[in-house]
Amino acid sequence: MPEPSAPPNSPRTGLTPRSIVIWSLVALAGAAGWAVLALSRGEEISAAWMLAAALGSYAIAYRFYSRFIANRVLKVDKTRATPAERLDNGVDFHPTDRRVLFGHHFAAVAGAGPLVGPVLAAQMGYLPGTIWIIVGVIFAGAVQDMVTLFFSTRRDGRSLGQMARDEIGPFGGAAALIAVFAIMIILLAVLALVIVNALAHSPWGVFSIGMTIPIALFMGVYLRVLRPGRVTEVSVIGVALLLLAIVAGGWVAESSLADTFTLEPGTLVVWMVVYGFLASVLPVWLLLAPRDYLSTFMKVGTIALLAAGVFLALPTLKMPAVTDFAGRGDGPVFAGSMFPFVFITIACGALSGFHSLVSSGTTPKMVQKETQIRMIGYGSMLTESFVAVMAMIAACIIDPGLFFAVNSPAGVVGTTVQSAAEAVSNFGFTISPDQLAQAAADVEEASLLSRTGGAPTFALGMSEIFSAVFGGATMKAFWYHFAIMFEALFILTTLDAGTRVGRFMLQDTLGNVYKPFKQVSWKPGVWFASAVVVGGWGYFLWVGVHDPLGGINQLFPLFGIANQLLAAVALAVCTTLLVKSGRLKWAWVTAVPLAWDVAVTLTASWQKIFSDDPRVGFFAQRDKYQAGIDSGQVLPPAKSMDDMHTVVTNSTVDGVLSALFALLIIVVIADAGRVCFKAVADPAGVKLSEVPYTPSRLVAPAGLFPTAEEKAELVAAGVGPEGGIRKEGGSGDEVPAGTGSR
């Protein structure tokens, strides 16, 4: 198949002398940041240098690399109607303003990963994780999100698994469908568990986050019925109501209503399952998109404020650039060598397979124009990566002794400040019992010891930065608990979108057997598939909440590897589609990150299956606990002989699933390679599932702000600055984007 011709009226990419000067200064600022980070030798440096390195790199990548991919590799076409325009049904397919959709997409993909992954990886030092976060997102994560979104949009919003089946074939496609769906249920249950842990017994968090639901419903009705297309208007109202809900949450927590909003973990599970089901079946414009858009203001606003706090307070990075644990692989936070486990621990923010599910789920059904895919796909992922950088900063500006006392399990540091201080000294860092006690008192917590998972550490770092700028030490407790609530909000938006994506995926799969399921808005299919998905992750969550060794706790160790194996599926599908669509010379754009991801994930899988170290290998852990059972010993974290048997079962299940997932991914990649080879050898015989070209009648800008050329197009089309359907009699040959206003 010949390479597709260039799209009409491609945007000009030339640089003026003024822009050359500006971009040269941006490049110099980024290079200076990298130089300071890489060349420091033991001395503490300002966290502002990390921000400079990140922001400079992101700006260059978005301006040049993402534009290259959009215009040269993908050849996005603004005259081509998207499925949102062609299939608009007001339920799943709905042309949505690019700013609202950016908010939805960012909120949907930015879950627990960018907040907690970098915190855990900080045990290796700030430099390895920071390099992976920034370089990984530019050349892998953002590329995956953008290219997957493009190809799914060209296929009526098909799910990743279904695209694999359509383009790779029944064998590799079946392996992809099984792997993708199973991994997704695990990921959703893990995300839900983090939310439960954050919101349990927190009336402030429950009230504030609960209020985002009626606010979102109001915004959805306002934007579609009351004032169609008035995005700026509804944004101001929504943000004002959100801020009021956050402040009111603090009042509720101190009032007689606190008991009403203080929920047990089991109760939270029930409410989350109900919410997940409703978010999956209700029209996307009514709840999901406006709530995610609303959450984005909270997410981006808080992170931007945090970045401003770093520039104002100029905290120093107290964690070494590279710790001894990076070479030894015996860290107390997680065991394993720097390669591959830093690249597994940090997923979201650099490269995350879960993102490909959203990019082939809800978002492609709402994109107005192909030209917006760059901002939504690549831009959202860069924004999430910046969140990960801020999480790394938060973890590395606190005292390393406190970091390890908080993130090490109780079996390592004990349960008293004295035992923790002694354990930390054995790691090569120093902190006194009094300092540990004072750190807890500052944030009004009884203890900070063994608060594992990353979220409390991020909250500690956030409280350090904010209290240095706003309110002083007396405000540390407020900012700490604000951060905990903020993290729960961050993650919940991933859960609701993920459930809807899972519904699409299951409907696509069942549609191969019973065709009505392929109609994603067919009511019986919608309700059945949604119930199956929420039932799946809800079951694992319910058991996990009530049994510390059961349910999702059993599968939690698979989270990191499973997520990155999912990325391998997405990149393999994207590479196959680039080759099959005549873009062989550009296939390296996804093939290079695919090769890296496969090397990382399969190495990690091999070690988790075959390592002799029981802290790393599942089967080695099984043998250790089985030996304990045989000798009548109870080994921590087990507290009884029944727990010992449960650990043996869990380790066996995790080991078998690790092997199964790795095998399925190898099958997908091997079959993709076969299809690519066949496409190169016989281009004329290539068959694509891409839908035929249909001209667009919508007009809308591609980026956040319309260019002069786009403003002229809007005027010529007879629509307002927000965009819309081209009026009859409007001048000009172009029929670009739209806004979702009807």
Side-chain angles (χ1 to χ4, degrees):
M1 177 175 287
E3 183 177 338
S5 59
N9 297 307
S10 297
R12 294 189 299 269
T13 59
L15 291 173
T16 64
R18 179 173 174 269
S19 63
I20 290 174
V21 171
I22 292 173
W23 287 109
S24 296
L25 292 174
V26 171
L28 287 173
W34 280 117
V36 172
L37 291 178
L39 299 177
S40 64
R41 291 293 182 268
E43 69 275 15
E44 292 182 5
I45 61 172
S46 172
W49 290 113
M50 190 181 291
L51 287 186
L55 293 174
S57 300
Y58 295 151
I60 296 293
Y62 185 78
R63 170 59 178 81
F64 296 99
Y65 193 49
S66 70
R67 177 175 288 193
F68 159 76
I69 294 173
N71 296 339
R72 298 289 298 279
V73 179
L74 302 179
K75 291 183 167 56
V76 295
D77 187 352
K78 68 179 179 179
T79 70
R80 186 186 187 107
T82 64
E85 178 183 353
R86 290 185 293 99
L87 306 175
D88 183 7
N89 60 10
V91 179
D92 296 312
F93 293 91
H94 177 64
T96 304
D97 184 277
R98 67 204 182 281
R99 294 161 294 185
V100 175
L101 189 54
F102 174 91
H104 157 73
H105 188 79
F106 169 72
V109 300
L115 294 175
V116 302
V119 171
L120 303 180
Q123 82 160 358
M124 302 289 190
Y126 66 75
L127 191 57
T130 300
I131 292 174
W132 170 233
I133 290 168
I134 299 174
V135 176
V137 72
I138 290 171
F139 295 106
V143 172
Q144 172 206 251
D145 292 16
M146 179 183 178
V147 178
T148 302
L149 178 57
F150 171 80
F151 282 124
S152 180
T153 301
R154 284 280 176 101
R155 285 156 180 78
D156 282 346
R158 285 293 184 212
S159 67
L160 176 64
Q162 189 61 37
M163 284 198 295
R165 187 182 186 279
D166 293 342
E167 302 292 352
I168 295 177
F171 186 61
L177 283 169
I178 294 170
V180 169
F181 190 75
I183 290 171
M184 191 203 63
I185 293 296
I186 293 173
L187 299 184
L188 290 176
V190 169
L191 293 171
L193 181 64
V194 176
I195 299 169
V196 169
N197 291 338
L199 291 184
H201 310 295
S202 173
W204 184 8
V206 168
F207 177 84
S208 297
I209 292 176
M211 286 303 298
T212 63
I213 297 173
I215 294 173
L217 292 171
F218 166 75
M219 291 175 66
V221 173
Y222 190 97
L223 197 56
R224 183 173 175 90
V225 180
L226 301 179
R227 301 275 287 174
R230 305 285 183 166
V231 177
T232 303
E233 213 171 89
V234 78
S235 299
V236 172
I237 297 172
V239 171
L241 291 174
L242 175 63
L243 293 175
L244 178 61
I246 294 170
V247 173
W251 299 338
V252 167
E254 301 295 329
S255 73
S256 58
L257 293 173
D259 290 342
T260 304
F261 291 95
T262 301
L263 303 182
E264 294 296 321
T267 307
L268 279 169
V269 172
V270 174
W271 280 113
M272 286 171 58
V273 167
V274 171
Y275 170 72
F277 181 81
L278 292 176
S280 179
V281 301
L282 288 175
V284 70
W285 59 265
L286 180 60
L287 176 60
L288 187 68
R291 189 186 178 283
D292 288 351
Y293 178 60
L294 180 66
S295 299
T296 295
F297 283 100
M298 175 68 172
K299 293 180 176 184
V300 175
T302 301
I303 293 299
L305 197 60
L306 195 59
V310 170
F311 281 118
L312 292 173
L314 296 177
T316 58
L317 299 171
K318 296 182 174 62
M319 187 71 72
V322 181
T323 67
D324 293 340
F325 298 124
R328 299 202 309 258
D330 59 350
V333 180
F334 64 90
S337 55
M338 184 172 70
F339 179 88
F341 289 106
V342 161
F343 309 100
I344 295 296
T345 304
I346 299 176
C348 298
L351 171 65
S352 170
F354 179 80
H355 294 194
S356 66
L357 303 183
V358 180
S359 292
S360 61
T362 54
T363 306
K365 298 176 178 65
M366 297 189 283
V367 174
Q368 299 166 321
K369 306 301 297 179
E370 285 188 359
T371 47
Q372 297 171 349
I373 286 172
R374 176 185 173 217
M375 177 185 115
I376 295 165
Y378 203 95
S380 293
M381 186 54 185
L382 288 185
T383 307
E384 188 194 26
S385 182
F386 187 60
V387 174
V389 169
M390 295 310 303
M392 179 66 74
I393 289 174
C396 294
I397 64 169
I398 65 175
D399 188 283
L402 179 59
F403 171 88
F404 285 105
V406 173
N407 288 283
S408 301
V412 175
V413 297
T415 57
T416 67
V417 291
Q418 289 78 15
S419 64
E422 184 178 345
V424 167
S425 67
N426 294 331
F427 302 152
F429 301 99
T430 303
I431 192 167
S432 70
D434 289 342
Q435 288 174 313
L436 288 173
Q438 186 60 50
D442 287 344
V443 295
E444 297 180 8
E445 290 285 334
S447 173
L448 290 173
L449 302 183
S450 300
R451 298 291 297 274
T452 56
T457 303
F458 177 82
L460 280 172
M462 188 169 169
S463 68
E464 284 283 339
I465 295 170
F466 277 162
S467 64
V469 181
F470 309 107
T474 57
M475 289 291 289
K476 272 190 178 181
F478 171 84
W479 290 121
Y480 176 84
H481 290 92
F482 172 85
I484 294 293
M485 185 274 295
F486 164 76
E487 291 172 289
L489 174 67
F490 223 97
I491 301 164
L492 186 59
T493 53
T494 303
L495 186 68
D496 53 19
T499 300
R500 198 178 189 99
V501 169
R503 188 253 286 181
F504 292 147
M505 190 184 308
L506 185 57
Q507 285 188 261
D508 273 346
T509 303
L510 295 176
N512 295 316
V513 179
Y514 185 58
K515 291 193 180 299
F517 274 104
K518 282 191 177 293
Q519 303 171 25
V520 293
S521 298
W522 180 55
K523 289 292 175 57
V526 168
W527 288 69
F528 175 78
S530 297
V532 171
V533 174
V534 296
W537 63 256
Y539 166 77
F540 286 113
L541 176 61
W542 176 267
V543 177
V545 162
H546 292 87
D547 180 359
L549 295 176
I552 193 54
N553 297 308
Q554 178 187 39
L555 302 175
F556 195 93
L558 297 174
F559 178 82
I561 292 178
N563 191 25
Q564 297 302 67
L565 287 173
L566 191 55
V569 173
L571 290 168
V573 170
C574 290
T575 303
T576 303
L577 286 170
L578 286 175
V579 173
K580 289 181 68 176
S581 60
R583 300 172 170 93
L584 176 62
K585 71 177 182 178
W586 304 123
W588 59 266
V589 169
T590 54
V592 171
L594 170 62
W596 169 258
D597 186 48
V598 169
V600 167
T601 50
L602 292 187
T603 300
S605 297
W606 179 272
Q607 292 186 18
K608 297 299 285 185
I609 296 168
F610 296 109
S611 174
D612 294 331
D613 186 347
R615 297 173 303 171
V616 177
F618 290 129
F619 291 118
Q621 184 183 66
R622 178 201 179 282
D623 293 343
K624 174 184 175 181
Y625 280 83
Q626 185 61 54
I629 293 172
D630 295 340
S631 63
Q633 291 181 298
V634 176
L635 307 175
K639 297 179 180 179
S640 66
M641 198 54 68
D642 286 342
D643 286 351
M644 292 287 289
H645 285 283
T646 301
V647 172
V648 168
T649 300
N650 290 355
S651 300
T652 304
V653 170
D654 288 342
V656 170
L657 287 178
S658 291
L660 177 62
F661 287 155
L663 181 62
L664 288 172
I665 301 311
I666 290 171
V667 169
V668 172
I669 294 171
D671 211 17
R674 175 190 62 81
V675 171
C676 289
F677 180 81
K678 182 179 178 181
V680 173
D682 181 22
V686 169
K687 294 182 179 179
L688 290 168
S689 61
E690 182 174 298
V691 298
Y693 173 91
T694 301
S696 174
R697 296 182 58 242
L698 293 177
V699 185
L704 189 60
F705 303 105
T707 63
E709 181 183 355
E710 288 170 337
K711 289 178 181 177
E713 286 179 359
L714 292 168
V715 172
V719 297
E722 303 289 345
I725 298 176
R726 186 166 67 93
K727 300 273 193 295
E728 293 298 329
S731 60
D733 297 327
E734 294 304 321
V735 279
T739 61
S741 55
R742 311 312 303 154

